[in-house]
Amino acid sequence: MINRSIAIDGPAGSGKSTIAKIIAKENNLMYINTGAMYRAVTYYAIKAGISYDEVSKLIDLIDNLEMHFEGDRLIVNGTDITDELTYPEISNNVSNYAAVKEVREKLVSFQQKMSQKYEVIMDGRDIGTVVLKDAKYKFFLTAKAEERAKRRCKELIEKGIEVDFNNILEEIEKRDYIDTHREINPLTKADDAMEIDTSSMTIDEVVKKISGLLN
Ligand code: DC
C-alpha cells in the first residue's frame, strides 16, 4: 500500500489540510490529518490537567484514546472532537506536546499502521521524512508567515471565533520555531519532496499542480 501513498508536509497554514482533503476525495484515498492527532492528545491532556513533561501520564492517556478518521473528521472514543481542535488554547500548546519523544513514537506507529491498511494521503511535519519515508509522492508546502496568519484568521473568523491578526502571526511564528528546532523529527523537507510555495497561489492552482504530477 505504502507506494501509492502521498505525503504532504509543511508549516502551519501552508494549505496542507485543505489541499489534502480535496486530493483525497478526487483520488479515493483515506485522508489522515496527523496534526489533528497531536491536537487531540493536547486536548485530552489539558482536560485531564496533564502537562507535557508528565510523560508516563501522557502515555497512559494515549493508550486509552481510540482514534479514527471519518472523512476529514477525527473521532476519539466515539466522539467527534474535530471542531474543538482548532481552539487557540490547543494551537498554543500543541507544539510542546508534539515535541515529546514518547508521544511521537505512539502516534507515528499508529499512522504507519493506517498506511499499511489503506491507501492514504497524510499531512503533517514528519510524513515524508519519517512516517511514510517510502511514499511514492512527497510534497512540501510553504508560504510566507504573514500569508499563513491571514489564512488562519479567515478560518477562525468563519468559525465565529474572535481573532487578532498579530496574535495569530506571533503564534504561527512561535510554532514554526518549536516545530523546526525540536530534537525529535523536526519539520524539514525530505530530500525527495517537491517544494511548492503557495503564497500567491489559489487552492485550485495548488490542487491542479499536485494532481498533474500523480499517475
Ligand atoms: O498541522 P497542525 O497545525 O494542525 O499541527 C499541529 C501541531 O502538531 C504542529 O504545531 C506540530 C505538530 N505536528 C507534528 O509535530 N507532527 C506532525 N506530523 C503533525 C503535526
Side-chain angles (χ1 to χ4, degrees), residues 38-62:
Y38 288 96
R39 285 172 182 268
V41 169
T42 305
Y43 172 80
Y44 283 102
I46 291 175
K47 224 174 156 181
I50 303 172
S51 140
Y52 62 84
D53 52 7
E54 296 180 284
V55 176
S56 65
K57 284 191 188 171
L58 275 178
I59 296 308
D60 277 353
L61 177 93
I62 297 174

Side-chain angles (χ1 to χ4, degrees), residues 21-90:
K21 259 183 242 174
I22 298 172
I23 295 181
K25 263 204 189 133
E26 285 182 359
N27 295 276
N28 206 17
L29 300 167
M30 178 179 278
Y31 169 47
I32 312 268
N33 176 346
T34 64
M37 297 173 67
Y38 288 96
R39 285 172 182 268
V41 169
T42 305
Y43 172 80
Y44 283 102
I46 291 175
K47 224 174 156 181
I50 303 172
S51 140
Y52 62 84
D53 52 7
E54 296 180 284
V55 176
S56 65
K57 284 191 188 171
L58 275 178
I59 296 308
D60 277 353
L61 177 93
I62 297 174
D63 284 340
N64 286 297
L65 298 180
E66 187 282 320
M67 302 194 207
H68 69 272
F69 285 90
E70 289 178 10
D72 59 354
R73 313 295 296 177
L74 178 58
I75 315 297
V76 184
N77 294 347
T79 305
D80 182 343
I81 59 159
T82 316
D83 291 335
E84 281 85 337
L85 298 181
T86 46
Y87 289 171
E89 193 187 7
I90 309 297

